[in-house]
Amino acid sequence: SDEMGLGKTIQTISFLYSLYKDGHSKGPFLVSAPLSTVINWEREFEFWAPDFYVVTYVGDKESRQVIRDHELSYDQGAVRGGPKACRMKSGCQVKFHVLLTSYELICIDQATLGSIDWSVLVVDEAHRLKNNQSKFFRILTSYPLAYRLLLTGTPLQNNLEELFHLLNFMTPEKFTEMGLFLSEFADIGKEDQIKNEDTWGFKGKVSLEKGAFRWYGQGAYMGLVADAGPTETITFTGWKLKDSGLGNQKNVLTGFTYNTGDWQFGPNFLW
């Protein structure tokens, strides 16, 4: 969402809480956010998801050591004691539902946090991942993550490379070659060209709208307006589905198929 104040935090907490309460996933969920916003996340989790056991993993070395010793697992000695972060022993039961932490500690305490199998990763202010050469990007890709949800209220500044890096982080098996992506979409200037399946393709003559973005929810829409200069203005907008489509919208968010009763996780999301 290229806007601030749209309720991304509360929607995300409600989404994770619904997965837990409906029995689709017990976690653990990892939320990485700027240090200045961690306390806000903690407050909103307490209000909107009161059944969650939330661990706020911040502080100096001594504080984090106490958290590792007492808050990460029910098993005694799950993480070796000491000021240095160490791997959690395999097979140990995780004690919490949600762990809140900062970008910096994702990197600094990779040994501990990267040894946990995370059901869902949430990255707040996800434009931090717009460069795949950043330490944060490289380390996060090494974490065991089943699903990824990126939140950003900051536009991509008309840069297709930044867009590719975000898509590559979410779905690396589908977005593998930046050169191909840029060559396919760099000259798009009108909305009808995005939907033109005969002209524009991505891995096999499919439109940008149906090809590159069809994995990210029915409310995702991409429009490009030509600028006077050599670059394009990229705008993401969204709309509420009609009443007849609300069931589909819920299916996209939960991955639940009502006609069969079978549960499946949906794709990763960029909100």
Side-chain angles (χ1 to χ4, degrees):
S1 301
D2 282 349
E3 287 290 344
M4 303 296 289
L6 295 180
K8 296 185 294 294
T9 300
I10 295 174
Q11 290 181 61
T12 299
I13 293 172
S14 300
F15 172 57
L16 297 179
Y17 197 49
S18 69
L19 293 180
Y20 171 75
K21 294 295 285 185
D22 293 341
H24 302 316
S25 175
K26 296 301 181 183
F29 307 124
L30 174 62
V31 178
S32 180
L35 184 59
S36 60
T37 67
V38 168
I39 189 172
N40 179 62
W41 276 94
E42 186 178 28
R43 182 175 60 249
E44 298 297 351
F45 263 112
E46 183 179 0
F47 185 83
W48 295 100
D51 294 341
F52 271 166
Y53 180 23
V54 179
V55 171
T56 303
Y57 190 79
V58 296
D60 56 21
K61 288 184 179 181
E62 290 74 20
S63 300
R64 302 198 310 274
Q65 179 183 342
V66 171
I67 295 173
R68 291 195 297 269
D69 291 343
H70 302 286
E71 300 295 338
L72 296 190
S73 177
Y74 291 107
D75 300 320
Q76 191 71 21
V79 181
R80 189 174 65 188
K84 184 177 181 181
C86 300
R87 291 181 58 84
M88 180 181 289
K89 295 178 181 178
S90 60
C92 290
Q93 183 181 3
V94 173
K95 187 177 181 179
F96 56 89
H97 298 108
V98 178
L99 187 140
L100 298 174
T101 192
S102 65
Y103 305 143
E104 293 76 17
L105 292 180
I106 287 285
C107 301
I108 295 173
D109 287 355
Q110 175 189 5
T112 299
L113 301 181
S115 64
I116 300 172
D117 292 327
W118 301 101
S119 294
V120 179
L121 163 73
V122 176
V123 180
D124 193 13
E125 304 295 343
H127 50 276
R128 181 75 177 261
L129 293 166
K130 65 185 181 182
N131 181 3
N132 68 349
Q133 297 303 311
S134 69
K135 185 177 182 181
F136 183 57
F137 188 108
R138 289 186 285 105
I139 288 180
L140 259 188
T141 55
S142 70
Y143 273 50
L145 308 169
Y147 299 95
R148 309 172 187 199
L149 172 61
L150 306 185
L151 312 177
T152 177
T154 302
L156 295 173
Q157 304 300 326
N158 304 333
N159 192 321
L160 283 176
E161 291 187 17
E162 295 177 4
L163 173 61
F164 174 83
H165 292 320
L166 292 178
L167 296 175
N168 172 256
F169 179 81
M170 285 192 295
T171 319
E173 68 277 8
K174 296 185 181 297
F175 297 91
T176 57
E177 300 180 26
M178 183 171 65
L180 175 61
F181 183 85
L182 295 179
S183 65
E184 290 285 351
F185 304 131
D187 295 328
I188 295 179
K190 296 181 179 180
E191 180 179 345
D192 58 353
Q193 290 177 304
I194 303 171
K195 300 180 180 180
N196 187 347
E197 299 187 27
D198 296 328
T199 305
W200 305 103
F202 185 70
K203 292 187 176 180
K205 294 297 180 183
V206 291
S207 68
L208 179 60
E209 181 181 20
K210 294 183 179 179
F213 289 93
R214 69 188 181 92
W215 305 101
Y216 300 102
Q218 293 186 7
Y221 176 79
M222 185 176 185
L224 290 87
V225 182
D227 232 342
T231 60
E232 290 80 34
T233 300
I234 301 176
T235 305
F236 289 90
T237 59
W239 62 85
K240 182 179 178 181
L241 294 177
K242 297 179 180 179
D243 291 340
S244 59
L246 288 177
N248 293 330
Q249 189 179 49
K250 292 178 181 177
N251 288 344
V252 170
L253 293 178
T254 65
F256 188 75
T257 306
Y258 289 96
N259 59 348
T260 63
D262 294 331
W263 159 253
Q264 293 181 342
F265 268 111
N268 299 317
F269 287 95
L270 173 63
W271 281 1

PDB file of all heavy atoms in Angstrom, residues 55-71:
ATOM      1  N   VAL A  55       6.646 -12.106  22.205  1.00  0.00           N
ATOM      2  CA  VAL A  55       7.960 -11.808  22.773  1.00  0.00           C
ATOM      3  C   VAL A  55       8.564 -10.643  21.997  1.00  0.00           C
ATOM      4  O   VAL A  55       8.676 -10.704  20.765  1.00  0.00           O
ATOM      5  CB  VAL A  55       8.894 -13.037  22.694  1.00  0.00           C
ATOM      6  CG1 VAL A  55      10.325 -12.651  23.080  1.00  0.00           C
ATOM      7  CG2 VAL A  55       8.388 -14.149  23.593  1.00  0.00           C
ATOM      8  N   THR A  56       8.935  -9.606  22.701  1.00  0.00           N
ATOM      9  CA  THR A  56       9.605  -8.460  22.083  1.00  0.00           C
ATOM     10  C   THR A  56      11.103  -8.624  22.273  1.00  0.00           C
ATOM     11  O   THR A  56      11.612  -8.498  23.395  1.00  0.00           O
ATOM     12  CB  THR A  56       9.125  -7.136  22.708  1.00  0.00           C
ATOM     13  OG1 THR A  56       7.702  -7.044  22.568  1.00  0.00           O
ATOM     14  CG2 THR A  56       9.774  -5.952  22.011  1.00  0.00           C
ATOM     15  N   TYR A  57      11.770  -8.949  21.184  1.00  0.00           N
ATOM     16  CA  TYR A  57      13.192  -9.283  21.229  1.00  0.00           C
ATOM     17  C   TYR A  57      14.018  -8.046  20.867  1.00  0.00           C
ATOM     18  O   TYR A  57      14.382  -7.821  19.721  1.00  0.00           O
ATOM     19  CB  TYR A  57      13.483 -10.429  20.265  1.00  0.00           C
ATOM     20  CG  TYR A  57      14.870 -11.032  20.388  1.00  0.00           C
ATOM     21  CD1 TYR A  57      15.170 -11.932  21.403  1.00  0.00           C
ATOM     22  CD2 TYR A  57      15.869 -10.704  19.478  1.00  0.00           C
ATOM     23  CE1 TYR A  57      16.425 -12.494  21.515  1.00  0.00           C
ATOM     24  CE2 TYR A  57      17.130 -11.252  19.579  1.00  0.00           C
ATOM     25  CZ  TYR A  57      17.410 -12.142  20.601  1.00  0.00           C
ATOM     26  OH  TYR A  57      18.674 -12.697  20.708  1.00  0.00           O
ATOM     27  N   VAL A  58      14.277  -7.224  21.874  1.00  0.00           N
ATOM     28  CA  VAL A  58      15.083  -6.020  21.698  1.00  0.00           C
ATOM     29  C   VAL A  58      15.956  -5.866  22.941  1.00  0.00           C
ATOM     30  O   VAL A  58      15.868  -6.652  23.890  1.00  0.00           O
ATOM     31  CB  VAL A  58      14.207  -4.755  21.506  1.00  0.00           C
ATOM     32  CG1 VAL A  58      13.397  -4.846  20.219  1.00  0.00           C
ATOM     33  CG2 VAL A  58      13.282  -4.557  22.701  1.00  0.00           C
ATOM     34  N   GLY A  59      16.793  -4.821  22.950  1.00  0.00           N
ATOM     35  CA  GLY A  59      17.606  -4.541  24.126  1.00  0.00           C
ATOM     36  C   GLY A  59      19.079  -4.823  23.905  1.00  0.00           C
ATOM     37  O   GLY A  59      19.516  -5.204  22.806  1.00  0.00           O
ATOM     38  N   ASP A  60      19.858  -4.666  24.972  1.00  0.00           N
ATOM     39  CA  ASP A  60      21.303  -4.891  24.884  1.00  0.00           C
ATOM     40  C   ASP A  60      21.602  -6.395  24.980  1.00  0.00           C
ATOM     41  O   ASP A  60      20.689  -7.231  25.067  1.00  0.00           O
ATOM     42  CB  ASP A  60      22.030  -4.106  25.980  1.00  0.00           C
ATOM     43  CG  ASP A  60      21.506  -4.438  27.382  1.00  0.00           C
ATOM     44  OD1 ASP A  60      20.885  -5.520  27.555  1.00  0.00           O
ATOM     45  OD2 ASP A  60      21.714  -3.630  28.301  1.00  0.00           O
ATOM     46  N   LYS A  61      22.878  -6.756  24.980  1.00  0.00           N
ATOM     47  CA  LYS A  61      23.277  -8.162  24.975  1.00  0.00           C
ATOM     48  C   LYS A  61      22.716  -8.909  26.180  1.00  0.00           C
ATOM     49  O   LYS A  61      22.228 -10.042  26.055  1.00  0.00           O
ATOM     50  CB  LYS A  61      24.801  -8.278  24.948  1.00  0.00           C
ATOM     51  CG  LYS A  61      25.443  -7.910  23.619  1.00  0.00           C
ATOM     52  CD  LYS A  61      26.946  -8.145  23.672  1.00  0.00           C
ATOM     53  CE  LYS A  61      27.597  -7.819  22.350  1.00  0.00           C
ATOM     54  NZ  LYS A  61      29.069  -8.062  22.379  1.00  0.00           N
ATOM     55  N   GLU A  62      22.805  -8.281  27.354  1.00  0.00           N
ATOM     56  CA  GLU A  62      22.338  -8.944  28.566  1.00  0.00           C
ATOM     57  C   GLU A  62      20.827  -9.164  28.538  1.00  0.00           C
ATOM     58  O   GLU A  62      20.338 -10.236  28.934  1.00  0.00           O
ATOM     59  CB  GLU A  62      22.729  -8.111  29.796  1.00  0.00           C
ATOM     60  CG  GLU A  62      24.211  -8.079  30.104  1.00  0.00           C
ATOM     61  CD  GLU A  62      25.002  -7.209  29.139  1.00  0.00           C
ATOM     62  OE1 GLU A  62      24.367  -6.344  28.473  1.00  0.00           O
ATOM     63  OE2 GLU A  62      26.234  -7.365  29.036  1.00  0.00           O
ATOM     64  N   SER A  63      20.083  -8.170  28.058  1.00  0.00           N
ATOM     65  CA  SER A  63      18.626  -8.301  27.980  1.00  0.00           C
ATOM     66  C   SER A  63      18.231  -9.406  27.012  1.00  0.00           C
ATOM     67  O   SER A  63      17.337 -10.218  27.309  1.00  0.00           O
ATOM     68  CB  SER A  63      18.001  -6.974  27.543  1.00  0.00           C
ATOM     69  OG  SER A  63      18.301  -5.941  28.453  1.00  0.00           O
ATOM     70  N   ARG A  64      18.909  -9.456  25.868  1.00  0.00           N
ATOM     71  CA  ARG A  64      18.573 -10.478  24.876  1.00  0.00           C
ATOM     72  C   ARG A  64      18.964 -11.868  25.374  1.00  0.00           C
ATOM     73  O   ARG A  64      18.307 -12.861  25.031  1.00  0.00           O
ATOM     74  CB  ARG A  64      19.233 -10.156  23.537  1.00  0.00           C
ATOM     75  CG  ARG A  64      18.825  -8.788  22.977  1.00  0.00           C
ATOM     76  CD  ARG A  64      19.101  -8.652  21.506  1.00  0.00           C
ATOM     77  NE  ARG A  64      20.421  -9.010  21.095  1.00  0.00           N
ATOM     78  CZ  ARG A  64      21.487  -8.192  21.110  1.00  0.00           C
ATOM     79  NH1 ARG A  64      21.363  -6.947  21.566  1.00  0.00           N
ATOM     80  NH2 ARG A  64      22.661  -8.597  20.677  1.00  0.00           N
ATOM     81  N   GLN A  65      20.021 -11.960  26.166  1.00  0.00           N
ATOM     82  CA  GLN A  65      20.406 -13.242  26.737  1.00  0.00           C
ATOM     83  C   GLN A  65      19.318 -13.772  27.670  1.00  0.00           C
ATOM     84  O   GLN A  65      18.988 -14.964  27.646  1.00  0.00           O
ATOM     85  CB  GLN A  65      21.722 -13.111  27.499  1.00  0.00           C
ATOM     86  CG  GLN A  65      22.183 -14.423  28.142  1.00  0.00           C
ATOM     87  CD  GLN A  65      23.457 -14.253  28.948  1.00  0.00           C
ATOM     88  OE1 GLN A  65      24.178 -13.279  28.789  1.00  0.00           O
ATOM     89  NE2 GLN A  65      23.735 -15.225  29.808  1.00  0.00           N
ATOM     90  N   VAL A  66      18.735 -12.893  28.473  1.00  0.00           N
ATOM     91  CA  VAL A  66      17.643 -13.286  29.364  1.00  0.00           C
ATOM     92  C   VAL A  66      16.451 -13.790  28.549  1.00  0.00           C
ATOM     93  O   VAL A  66      15.821 -14.804  28.891  1.00  0.00           O
ATOM     94  CB  VAL A  66      17.221 -12.106  30.266  1.00  0.00           C
ATOM     95  CG1 VAL A  66      15.953 -12.445  31.036  1.00  0.00           C
ATOM     96  CG2 VAL A  66      18.344 -11.732  31.219  1.00  0.00           C
ATOM     97  N   ILE A  67      16.140 -13.096  27.448  1.00  0.00           N
ATOM     98  CA  ILE A  67      15.032 -13.525  26.596  1.00  0.00           C
ATOM     99  C   ILE A  67      15.320 -14.896  25.996  1.00  0.00           C
ATOM    100  O   ILE A  67      14.445 -15.776  25.985  1.00  0.00           O
ATOM    101  CB  ILE A  67      14.784 -12.484  25.482  1.00  0.00           C
ATOM    102  CG1 ILE A  67      14.327 -11.160  26.083  1.00  0.00           C
ATOM    103  CG2 ILE A  67      13.734 -13.000  24.491  1.00  0.00           C
ATOM    104  CD1 ILE A  67      14.215 -10.037  25.068  1.00  0.00           C
ATOM    105  N   ARG A  68      16.537 -15.102  25.512  1.00  0.00           N
ATOM    106  CA  ARG A  68      16.887 -16.399  24.922  1.00  0.00           C
ATOM    107  C   ARG A  68      16.809 -17.512  25.954  1.00  0.00           C
ATOM    108  O   ARG A  68      16.399 -18.641  25.642  1.00  0.00           O
ATOM    109  CB  ARG A  68      18.279 -16.337  24.299  1.00  0.00           C
ATOM    110  CG  ARG A  68      18.387 -15.468  23.069  1.00  0.00           C
ATOM    111  CD  ARG A  68      19.682 -15.740  22.314  1.00  0.00           C
ATOM    112  NE  ARG A  68      20.858 -15.398  23.116  1.00  0.00           N
ATOM    113  CZ  ARG A  68      21.459 -14.199  23.113  1.00  0.00           C
ATOM    114  NH1 ARG A  68      20.948 -13.222  22.361  1.00  0.00           N
ATOM    115  NH2 ARG A  68      22.523 -13.959  23.842  1.00  0.00           N
ATOM    116  N   ASP A  69      17.195 -17.211  27.181  1.00  0.00           N
ATOM    117  CA  ASP A  69      17.216 -18.241  28.223  1.00  0.00           C
ATOM    118  C   ASP A  69      15.823 -18.611  28.712  1.00  0.00           C
ATOM    119  O   ASP A  69      15.587 -19.760  29.110  1.00  0.00           O
ATOM    120  CB  ASP A  69      18.053 -17.761  29.415  1.00  0.00           C
ATOM    121  CG  ASP A  69      19.539 -17.670  29.090  1.00  0.00           C
ATOM    122  OD1 ASP A  69      19.946 -18.268  28.076  1.00  0.00           O
ATOM    123  OD2 ASP A  69      20.272 -16.993  29.831  1.00  0.00           O
ATOM    124  N   HIS A  70      14.885 -17.655  28.705  1.00  0.00           N
ATOM    125  CA  HIS A  70      13.612 -17.881  29.396  1.00  0.00           C
ATOM    126  C   HIS A  70      12.361 -17.728  28.543  1.00  0.00           C
ATOM    127  O   HIS A  70      11.281 -18.181  28.974  1.00  0.00           O
ATOM    128  CB  HIS A  70      13.504 -16.921  30.591  1.00  0.00           C
ATOM    129  CG  HIS A  70      14.611 -17.057  31.582  1.00  0.00           C
ATOM    130  ND1 HIS A  70      14.713 -18.117  32.455  1.00  0.00           N
ATOM    131  CD2 HIS A  70      15.695 -16.266  31.820  1.00  0.00           C
ATOM    132  CE1 HIS A  70      15.789 -17.981  33.213  1.00  0.00           C
ATOM    133  NE2 HIS A  70      16.403 -16.867  32.850  1.00  0.00           N
ATOM    134  N   GLU A  71      12.441 -17.108  27.373  1.00  0.00           N
ATOM    135  CA  GLU A  71      11.229 -16.767  26.638  1.00  0.00           C
ATOM    136  C   GLU A  71      11.072 -17.469  25.291  1.00  0.00           C
ATOM    137  O   GLU A  71       9.999 -17.394  24.694  1.00  0.00           O
ATOM    138  CB  GLU A  71      11.166 -15.249  26.401  1.00  0.00           C
ATOM    139  CG  GLU A  71      11.161 -14.416  27.673  1.00  0.00           C
ATOM    140  CD  GLU A  71       9.920 -14.634  28.515  1.00  0.00           C
ATOM    141  OE1 GLU A  71       8.889 -15.075  27.962  1.00  0.00           O
ATOM    142  OE2 GLU A  71       9.976 -14.388  29.723  1.00  0.00           O
TER     143      GLU A  71
END
